[in-house]
Amino acid sequence: NMGSLRRFNYSAMGDVVNVAARIESASKGLNADLLVSEDVARQVKGIALLEAGEIPLKGKSRPTKIYAIAGDEAMAASPEFAQWSRLHDTLLAAITAGHAAEAATALASCRELAGAEMLGFYRHFADQIAALDTVPSRQAAPAGKLARQ
């Protein structure tokens, strides 16, 4: 509550609001409808979440891990999401290890399970896999590492 007795202005303030705004502006290239920070992901129960990577945020000493919301409680509880989540984790691990062929296979499987609304989300992972061919495997960047935009 800010303002005077005649005029009030209610605003959300604080670190969570600042982080949310910075995630929104820094991650436009992810093509995900809803993104949340790792702190928020730990607080929500039963929502289908997939790791989207890490982004450097102004005012933070280390990159912030972010997650895409892939579905509701029903999706999170489904065997299909369990399989999708395992394949997504395999994709991230293969990218981190610099294994382009394994990552490409996992990416194809994730795209099959994702549905049309999440296909754009996987574009940045395809770009990371393409970059593996130009980076020696011992120097591969961590999966999901996103450039500041």
Side-chain angles (χ1 to χ4, degrees):
N1 174 359
M2 296 182 288
S4 68
L5 292 175
R6 299 175 85 190
R7 184 170 183 208
F8 291 103
N9 180 16
Y10 294 95
S11 294
M13 297 171 51
D15 188 55
V16 172
V17 175
N18 292 335
V19 168
R22 290 178 181 143
I23 287 172
E24 189 272 334
S25 67
S27 59
K28 293 184 189 306
L30 288 176
N31 294 315
D33 289 337
L34 296 169
L35 296 169
V36 297
S37 69
E38 184 173 24
D39 290 338
V40 172
R42 280 194 296 262
Q43 298 298 316
V44 297
K45 303 294 182 223
I47 300 296
L49 299 171
L50 296 169
E51 184 179 333
E54 293 181 337
I55 56 172
L57 296 178
K58 182 180 174 185
K60 297 291 180 183
S61 60
R62 61 185 179 87
T64 299
K65 193 176 284 190
I66 58 174
Y67 294 81
I69 297 178
D72 61 9
E73 297 90 348
M75 167 69 87
S78 73
E80 293 83 5
F81 181 72
Q83 179 184 9
W84 180 14
S85 182
R86 280 191 302 276
L87 287 165
H88 185 81
D89 290 345
T90 299
L91 168 65
L92 297 179
I95 291 171
T96 299
H99 300 149
E102 181 183 351
T105 300
L107 176 63
S109 297
C110 287
R111 284 178 165 163
E112 283 180 29
L113 294 171
E117 62 277 352
M118 292 292 287
L119 291 179
F121 171 69
Y122 281 105
R123 276 191 214 120
H124 83 278
F125 293 109
D127 293 342
Q128 289 179 359
I129 294 168
L132 291 177
D133 293 330
T134 62
V135 177
S137 62
R138 69 180 184 283
Q139 296 177 351
K145 196 68 149 182
L146 304 174
R148 182 177 277 154
Q149 297 197 4

